[in-house]
C-alpha cells in the first residue's frame, strides 16, 4: 500500500520539480541574452595580448602618457575615470583601459590573478604606450599598480593611488576562495550571479562607494549593471569579486617605492577606512598623502573637480 501511495504522489512532485528547473534555466538564459544585447557601446580600440585576450581601451590627447585603471567592483569600467580623462587630455596623452573581466574587454571564463593582470599591464605599456607612464589607479587596481612597480619598475614614472585594498586584507585566504566552485557552477552559480548583479543589489553596492549620494552620476548604476552581466565570462568576473581572487598583499611593494607617488584616501570609505592612511604614512617616508573629506571609495568621481586639480599639480 505504501508503495502505491509513493508511486501516486512522486510522479507529480518530480514533474513539478523538473518544470521549475526548466523555468529557472529559461529565465537564466533570457536574462543573460538580454544583458548581452545591452553592452556598452562607447567607441574604443582593441589591444590583443600575447595570450590572445581582447582588451578595450581609449586613447585621447597628446603629450606625456598617463594610464588610468578603474576599480574592481562588479560592473566597473574605464567610465569611472571619464571626468578626469577629459581634463587630463588637455595636456597629456591619456589611456583608459577596461581590464579583462570588465567593461568592453573580453571576460575570461576563469578568474584572473593579480599576477596575470600585472603581466597584461606590462605588455600594454610596452606594446601600446611604448614607454613608461604616469599611472593612476583606484582601489583593487591600485594594488595591481603596486605589484607592477615591484616587478617592472621601468614601466612607471609616477603613481597616483586611491585606497589600495591590499594594505588591510592582503591575499585571499582558502576560506575566501572556498565558494569559487559553487559560484562558477552553471545553475546555482548563475543564479547567485544574477541575484548579485540585480539592479537593486548593484544600487546598494554603488551607495557604499559614494558618501554623498547626490554626487553619484545619474547613469552610474545603469552602467555598472550593463557591464556586470555583459560577456560570456561575466559570471567568472563576479565570482572573482566575491572570493577576492585577484587580491594581493601590497604593503611591501608600497614600502619599497622610490618613484614619486600620491596616496589618496576618501575620508568616508566604508570597506577600507581612512585610518589605513596613517598606517601607510608609517611605511613610507617619501611621497605625498592626502585625505579627501566627504568622499568614500571614489573621490575621483565624487569630487572630480578638486581631485583633478590636485592630480594635475602632482603630475606637473
Amino acid at each position: 500500500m505504501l508503495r502505491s501511495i509513493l508511486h501516486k504522489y512522486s510522479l507529480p512532485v518530480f514533474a513539478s520539480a523538473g518544470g521549475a528547473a526548466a523555468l529557472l534555466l529559461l529565465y537564466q538564459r533570457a536574462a543573460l541574452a538580454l544583458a548581452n544585447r545591452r553592452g556598452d557601446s562607447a567607441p574604443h580600440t582593441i589591444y590583443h595580448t600575447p595570450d590572445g585576450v581582447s582588451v578595450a581601451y581609449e586613447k585621447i590627447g597628446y603629450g606625456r602618457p598617463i594610464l588610468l585603471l578603474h576599480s574592481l567592483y562588479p560592473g566597473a569600467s574605464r567610465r569611472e575615470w571619464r571626468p578626469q580623462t577629459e581634463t587630463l587630455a588637455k595636456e597629456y596623452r591619456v589611456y583608459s583601459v577596461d581590464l579583462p573581466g570588465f567593461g568592453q574587454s573580453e571576460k575570461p571564463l576563469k578568474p584572473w590573478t593579480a599576477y596575470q593582470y600585472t603581466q597584461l599591464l606590462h605588455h600594454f605599456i610596452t606594446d601600446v604606450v611604448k614607454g613608461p607612464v604616469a599611472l593612476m589607479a583606484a582601489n583593487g587596481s591600485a594594488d595591481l599598480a603596486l605589484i607592477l612597480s615591484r616587478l617592472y619598475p621601468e614601466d612607471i614614472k609616477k603613481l597616483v593611488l586611491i585606497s589600495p585594498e591590499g594594505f588591510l586584507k592582503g591575499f585571499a585566504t582558502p576560506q575566501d576562495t572556498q565558494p569559487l566552485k559553487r559560484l562558477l557552477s552553471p545553475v546555482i552559480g548563475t543564479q547567485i550571479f544574477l541575484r548579485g548583479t540585480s539592479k537593486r543589489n548593484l544600487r546598494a553596492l554603488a551607495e557604499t562607494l559614494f558618501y554623498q549620494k547626490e554626487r553619484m552620476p545619474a547613469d552610474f548604476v545603469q552602467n555598472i549593471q550593463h557591464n556586470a552581466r555583459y560577456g560570456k565570462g561575466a559570471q567568472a568576473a563576479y565570482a572573482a569579486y566575491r572570493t577576492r581572487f585577484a587580491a594581493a598583499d601590497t604593503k611591501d611593494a608600497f614600502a619599497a617605492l622610490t618613484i614619486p607617488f600620491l596616496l589618496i584616501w576618501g575620508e568616508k570609505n566604508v570597506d577600507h577606512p581612512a585610518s589605513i592612511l596613517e598606517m601607510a604614512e608609517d611605511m613610507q617616508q617619501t611621497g605625498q598623502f592626502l585625505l579627501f573629506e566627504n568622499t568614500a571609495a571614489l573621490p575621483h568621481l565624487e569630487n572630480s573637480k578638486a581631485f583633478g586639480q590636485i592630480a594635475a599639480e602632482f603630475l606637473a
Side-chain angles (χ1 to χ4, degrees):
M1 182 177 178
L2 179 61
R3 182 178 297 176
S4 64
I5 292 173
L6 289 173
H7 181 73
K8 178 180 179 180
Y9 290 102
S10 63
L11 287 178
V13 169
F14 285 127
S16 176
L23 286 175
L24 179 62
L25 285 171
L26 185 63
Y27 158 74
Q28 291 178 352
R29 290 177 181 175
L32 294 174
L34 182 62
N36 279 279
R37 288 169 51 193
R38 293 181 175 181
D40 195 336
S41 59
H44 62 279
T45 304
I46 291 293
Y47 164 65
H48 296 285
T49 72
D51 295 329
V53 177
S54 299
V55 177
Y57 73 95
E58 288 182 67
K59 171 189 168 186
I60 181 173
Y62 300 91
R64 289 175 291 165
I66 296 177
L67 177 59
L68 307 177
L69 302 180
H70 58 76
S71 307
L72 304 183
Y73 54 82
S77 72
R78 65 185 188 276
R79 282 179 177 271
E80 183 182 303
W81 284 102
R82 185 146 295 172
Q84 307 305 326
T85 301
E86 296 172 357
T87 301
L88 291 168
K90 296 175 182 178
E91 295 187 35
Y92 299 95
R93 176 169 34 113
V94 183
Y95 297 86
S96 54
V97 176
D98 284 338
L99 293 169
F102 297 89
Q104 293 171 295
S105 287
E106 183 177 338
K107 296 187 176 179
L109 298 178
K110 293 182 179 180
W112 272 31
T113 65
Y115 179 76
Q116 286 175 291
Y117 280 117
T118 303
Q119 293 301 310
L120 160 74
L121 293 174
H122 172 64
H123 289 305
F124 184 87
I125 292 169
T126 301
D127 299 340
V128 179
V129 183
K130 300 186 184 302
V133 299
L135 182 53
M136 302 174 68
N139 302 301
S141 70
D143 292 299
L144 303 180
L146 284 168
I147 297 171
L148 182 69
S149 74
R150 196 70 184 270
L151 296 180
Y152 301 101
E154 69 277 8
D155 285 349
I156 307 175
K157 286 186 173 181
K158 288 186 175 183
L159 265 178
V160 177
L161 302 168
I162 302 171
S163 54
E165 298 174 358
F167 286 6
L168 184 62
K169 295 184 177 180
F171 290 101
T173 65
Q175 185 177 2
D176 289 329
T177 57
Q178 190 273 332
L180 189 62
K181 185 176 180 180
R182 180 167 59 95
L183 290 168
L184 292 173
S185 63
V187 179
I188 296 175
T190 302
Q191 193 59 29
I192 295 171
F193 162 61
L194 291 174
R195 185 169 65 246
T197 55
S198 67
K199 189 168 186 176
R200 177 181 178 181
N201 285 330
L202 288 177
R203 175 167 288 280
L205 169 65
E207 289 179 351
T208 69
L209 301 174
F210 291 83
Y211 174 65
Q212 300 178 85
K213 308 301 183 287
E214 66 274 11
R215 288 192 170 184
M216 184 189 301
D219 60 351
F220 186 80
V221 174
Q222 182 182 38
N223 287 333
I224 65 174
Q225 185 183 31
H226 290 171
N227 286 323
R229 292 185 174 182
Y230 183 78
K232 290 183 179 180
Q235 185 173 330
Y238 178 75
Y241 166 77
R242 285 283 300 269
T243 59
R244 302 184 57 248
F245 198 80
D249 189 330
T250 51
K251 292 191 293 293
D252 288 345
F254 177 71
L257 282 178
T258 57
I259 59 174
F261 72 85
L262 169 62
L263 179 62
I264 293 175
W265 223 279
E267 178 191 23
K268 305 296 183 179
N269 192 322
V270 175
D271 292 329
H272 300 87
S275 58
I276 303 174
L277 185 63
E278 297 178 11
M279 181 180 75
E281 289 184 87
D282 291 336
M283 288 189 284
Q284 263 284 2
Q285 304 305 313
T286 61
Q288 300 179 37
F289 300 82
L290 180 64
L291 183 66
F292 245 75
E293 295 181 349
N294 298 320
T295 64
L298 305 175
H300 49 307
L301 258 182
E302 191 166 358
N303 193 348
S304 59
K305 184 176 181 179
F307 182 95
Q309 292 173 345
I310 291 168
E313 291 176 6
F314 170 76
L315 292 170

